[in-house]
Amino acid sequence: MSDAAVSPRRTFALDGLMLRYAVLVGLIVIASVGFSLANSNFYSITNVGILLRSISVLFLVSMGMTFIMLTGGIDLSVGSNVAFSGGVGVVALTTTGSATIGFICALLAGMAIGWVNGVFIGRLRLSAFMVTLATFALARGLALVIYDADSINVDNAAFLWLGGTSWNNLPVVIPFVALMFIALSVLLYRTTFGRNVYAAGSNFNTAFVLGRRPERSVVWIYVLSGALAGLSAIVTVGRVSSGQPWAGLFLEFDAITAVILGGTALSGGRGRLLGTILGVLLYGIIINGLVLTGTNPYLQSLIKGMILLGVVLLDTYTQRGKSV
């Protein structure tokens, strides 16, 4: 009896996700065809390489943001964290001359900001919005201090390899992102930690009563997001061959938009990484197409805002429909 009652809900949820993904794929095709008609260079190998390299960082931080939003949280600090962890990595590199130490320091710096977020949000149960807003300012301020508000050139080939190297016009960061997607999918769908992520988003208090210790999971989720921000910082430095104090500016905005576009609920407990990947791809194609067609930069910001408002309204409408 109980199986019969649960089965239709599962089928409905699965069908809803498949429909969402089908719509996203259709929109990706429509956007690609439309921009290719507007500018014949859209499908050129050069532009495809630029597109993939430019959204690689968004892929990484959006996957971390997916874990966070599945718990009903949010992280406004990821963009600033990319700048901060990149600065720490670059300074460590220039000081020691070791790319390995630079990598490790960038990752640890990103994880440190994530840990601060996780402790205040998971352990102390403070507002994710307010805590990450504070670390947004903190990390950006630290980045400006580290860089002295100026860029630092990097010429270490090993440190630049991940973000700046291509194999036959395929940026090496793309296979790396694919591997990260597989690893994070296994973590989310095949481990107890992943089940705890969904449990914390569905009902934090119930998960606590059942002994899942959601507060611990939240801490580690933000640490994971910080680690992905550190990796994104390494990729960003590799792309431009320098560390920039304003790196990752508005990246949190783009990540949140892509994750919601991919079907992850603002209230938590619902969403998948595949949807996030499709959301990032669609969002990246739209932004790349607007740049390629020479759209006014201010109009691009307006369009970004309209996309975010639209997907938030869609998510709210969907949740209301399910609660009726």
Side-chain angles (χ1 to χ4, degrees):
M1 182 69 179
S2 60
D3 290 341
V6 173
S7 181
R9 288 188 177 183
R10 289 180 177 174
T11 303
F12 176 79
L14 183 61
D15 290 345
L17 282 175
M18 292 301 104
L19 177 61
R20 183 66 169 256
Y21 298 160
V23 170
L24 285 173
V25 171
L27 290 174
I28 288 170
V29 172
I30 292 172
S32 300
V33 172
F35 284 122
S36 67
L37 293 175
N39 191 312
S40 59
N41 292 323
F42 181 81
Y43 279 133
S44 67
I45 295 177
T46 300
N47 186 62
V48 171
I50 292 173
L51 169 63
L52 293 176
R53 197 187 301 274
S54 65
I55 62 176
S56 59
V57 168
L58 185 57
F59 273 133
L60 290 172
V61 298
S62 294
M63 287 190 286
M65 188 71 75
T66 302
F67 276 77
I68 289 172
M69 294 182 67
L70 282 173
T71 67
I74 199 167
D75 189 355
L76 302 177
S77 68
V78 288
S80 298
N81 198 0
V82 168
F84 166 66
S85 54
V88 171
V90 168
V91 169
L93 170 69
T94 55
T95 301
T96 65
S98 171
T100 301
I101 293 178
F103 287 144
I104 293 173
C105 288
L107 286 175
L108 291 177
M111 293 170 68
I113 296 295
W115 180 81
V116 171
N117 286 333
V119 169
F120 278 89
I121 296 167
R123 295 283 188 179
L124 302 182
R125 304 291 297 275
L126 299 181
S127 164
F129 180 88
M130 295 307 300
V131 171
T132 60
L133 182 63
T135 52
F136 160 85
L138 172 67
R140 184 66 67 180
L142 288 172
L144 288 168
V145 170
I146 291 171
Y147 284 110
D148 195 21
D150 197 7
S151 61
I152 299 176
N153 293 326
V154 177
D155 56 8
N156 185 293
F159 198 86
L160 300 176
W161 183 82
L162 183 59
T165 306
S166 296
W167 294 329
N168 296 323
N169 294 311
L170 174 67
V172 296
V173 70
I174 298 304
F176 175 77
V177 169
L179 290 174
M180 290 300 302
F181 170 74
I182 294 171
L184 291 174
S185 295
V186 172
L187 178 65
L188 185 58
Y189 309 130
R190 298 286 184 244
T191 67
T192 302
F193 177 78
R195 290 189 287 274
N196 290 344
V197 171
Y198 281 102
S202 297
N203 193 312
F204 192 96
N205 293 326
T206 300
F208 186 86
V209 171
L210 293 175
R212 289 188 176 274
R213 303 306 298 270
E215 74 283 2
R216 291 183 180 178
S217 298
V218 169
V219 173
W220 285 110
I221 288 165
Y222 278 94
V223 170
L224 173 63
S225 178
L228 291 171
L231 286 173
S232 299
I234 295 169
V235 174
T236 301
V237 172
R239 283 180 55 198
V240 296
S241 299
S242 66
Q244 306 281 345
W246 295 108
L249 193 64
F250 302 128
L251 184 58
E252 59 283 335
F253 175 91
D254 295 339
I256 293 168
T257 302
V259 173
I260 300 175
L261 189 62
T264 299
L266 282 167
S267 56
R270 177 175 62 85
R272 297 181 72 86
L273 287 173
L274 176 59
T276 294
I277 294 299
L278 293 175
V280 170
L281 188 56
L282 174 59
Y283 190 71
I285 287 173
I286 292 173
I287 301 306
N288 176 265
L290 292 174
V291 172
L292 202 63
T293 53
T295 304
N296 188 305
Y298 302 116
L299 185 59
Q300 293 176 28
S301 297
L302 174 63
I303 293 173
K304 285 183 179 182
M306 291 174 64
I307 293 173
L308 179 57
L309 180 61
V311 296
V312 168
L313 289 174
L314 176 63
D315 180 78
T316 303
Y317 176 79
T318 301
Q319 291 303 306
R320 286 179 179 175
K322 289 184 178 182
S323 63
V324 173

